[in-house]
Amino acid sequence: MISSTDPTTANPIYFHDYHPTPSDLRAEVLAGLAQPRKQLSPKLFYDAEGSKLFDAICELPEYYPTRTEIAILREHGAEMARRLGREALLVELGSGSSLKIRVLLEALQPAVYMPVDISSEHLQRSAQALAATFPKLEVHAVCADYSTPFELPVDDHSHPRAAFFPGSSIGNFEPAEAEQLLRRVGTILGPEGRLLIGVDLIKDRARLERAYNDAAGVTAAFNMNLLSRINRELDGKFDLARFRHEAFFNAEQGRIEMHLLSTCDQDVDVAGETFSFREGETIHTECSHKYSVEGFHALAGRAGFQPEQVWTDPKQLFSVHCLVHRGTLATE
């Protein structure tokens, strides 16, 4: 681990670099395309262009999660702060929307703020901006992959521990993987530590599918950019005109699935290897699991968390949960 401070801020920022293993794009793409049912990890979406497109998605009228979660945080922030405890050591998993964390920081006023993100550059920019806005806040930015085990660099138990995991990112994990992730978060927090987590709710199919098939085609461009990235970085030969974006709700699995569908029989070269596609065959690029409140509480219980409170919007589109870690498995 490397720790350093940023002397340009009134209150120094501490950077802790765990040197997370960078994604091997070539190995991941070739392995994913070689599977009987082709698939690619959604983390490969986020090159510079993909990140810009995702920011645009969050502003779309059809895409309700971001604005709905922010509205819940604004309306109930003071109550959430009471649940988490003021003067807490607050860990944010994935240094994402600065607007969301600003709303929570204003209400919570933690003693220590610890954003965790795999991207060092993004993490430093975010930490510096927040330190400028909250000059009394002690910031420890941790460059790490939160989906794998890691330890907090500040072993301070004089403050209550809390974590913030917004954006319904938990839905991008298969349920068994989500349970394992929550277990790791519980290990970080310790007994009685609290987790504030955003979870997208099950709702009517039409609304869900509109959110991932917007009229402006931004989500389609986001999905198709994955093929463009492969062409740019791996000497891929994907003809984007021969693929199309497809997103639908899989009711049996309780999830939105995103795919890239081949519109014809074709062979595609990638990094010196050739992959055959049949007409109608897809590359599965993302899942976004949706939960009922009761279903998510059952998942959290298996990971050792007990629900304390849940907040939703009037239309029951999205939920924010406060969970307390009991340190032992809860029974269903």
Side-chain angles (χ1 to χ4, degrees), residues 5 10-12 29 32 50 55 62 67 74 89 94 144 146 165 181 188 193 250-251 258 260 283 292 301 303 313:
T5 61
N11 191 38
V29 168
D55 287 344
E62 298 96 334
R67 64 175 175 273
R74 282 176 169 158
L89 187 160
Y146 67 75
F165 192 24
L181 175 58
I188 290 171
N250 181 330
M258 288 213 315
L260 291 163
I283 307 171
S292 66
D313 61 286

Side-chain angles (χ1 to χ4, degrees), residues 89-306:
L89 187 160
L90 177 66
V91 180
E92 184 184 12
L93 299 172
S95 181
S97 167
S98 60
L99 183 54
K100 291 177 188 175
I101 192 61
R102 284 169 194 263
V103 172
L104 189 60
L105 290 174
E106 287 169 358
L108 187 59
Q109 299 177 14
V112 180
Y113 169 57
M114 194 174 293
V116 180
D117 198 89
I118 197 169
S119 169
S120 176
E121 183 179 345
H122 172 75
L123 178 68
Q124 293 191 39
R125 284 199 309 268
S126 174
Q128 288 164 351
L130 287 168
T133 304
F134 300 93
K136 295 182 180 180
L137 184 63
E138 182 177 329
V139 179
H140 287 262
V142 182
C143 187
D145 181 354
Y146 67 75
S147 69
T148 63
F150 72 96
E151 295 181 358
L152 298 186
V154 178
D155 189 21
D156 181 355
H157 292 276
S158 62
H159 303 287
R161 290 193 172 188
F164 181 44
F165 192 24
S168 196
S169 297
I170 194 71
N172 293 133
F173 294 85
E174 292 298 321
E177 296 171 342
E179 182 181 330
Q180 288 301 314
L181 175 58
L182 291 177
R183 288 176 189 270
R184 288 195 291 271
V185 174
T187 299
I188 290 171
L189 294 176
E192 304 305 310
R194 281 165 171 76
L195 170 62
L196 192 68
I197 182 169
V199 179
D200 199 8
L201 296 174
I202 295 174
K203 56 190 69 67
D204 65 281
R205 176 188 294 269
R207 185 184 290 271
L208 280 169
E209 293 187 346
R210 280 198 303 271
Y212 293 83
N213 293 283
D214 59 277
V218 181
T219 308
F222 174 70
N223 201 10
M224 295 290 288
N225 180 64
L226 183 49
L227 300 184
S228 297
R229 182 184 182 189
I230 293 170
N231 286 350
R232 288 191 300 267
E233 299 184 31
L234 296 179
D235 192 28
K237 306 301 181 186
F238 281 103
D239 181 348
L240 272 60
R242 295 184 172 191
F243 286 84
R244 73 166 186 260
H245 163 75
E246 184 175 76
F248 58 87
F249 182 61
N250 181 330
E252 182 178 348
Q253 299 292 329
R255 68 192 191 191
I256 283 284
E257 295 185 11
M258 288 213 315
H259 295 257
L260 291 163
L261 182 144
S262 175
T263 60
C264 61
D265 292 344
Q266 58 181 308
D267 292 332
V268 179
D269 293 337
V270 177
E273 297 194 21
T274 301
F275 299 93
S276 295
F277 289 81
R278 302 181 309 277
E279 181 179 357
E281 184 178 3
T282 71
I283 307 171
H284 188 180
T285 55
E286 184 179 54
C287 285
S288 182
H289 290 82
K290 314 301 176 183
Y291 291 92
S292 66
V293 169
E294 297 76 16
F296 181 71
H297 285 173
L299 172 67
R302 293 192 294 272
F305 281 93
Q306 178 179 321

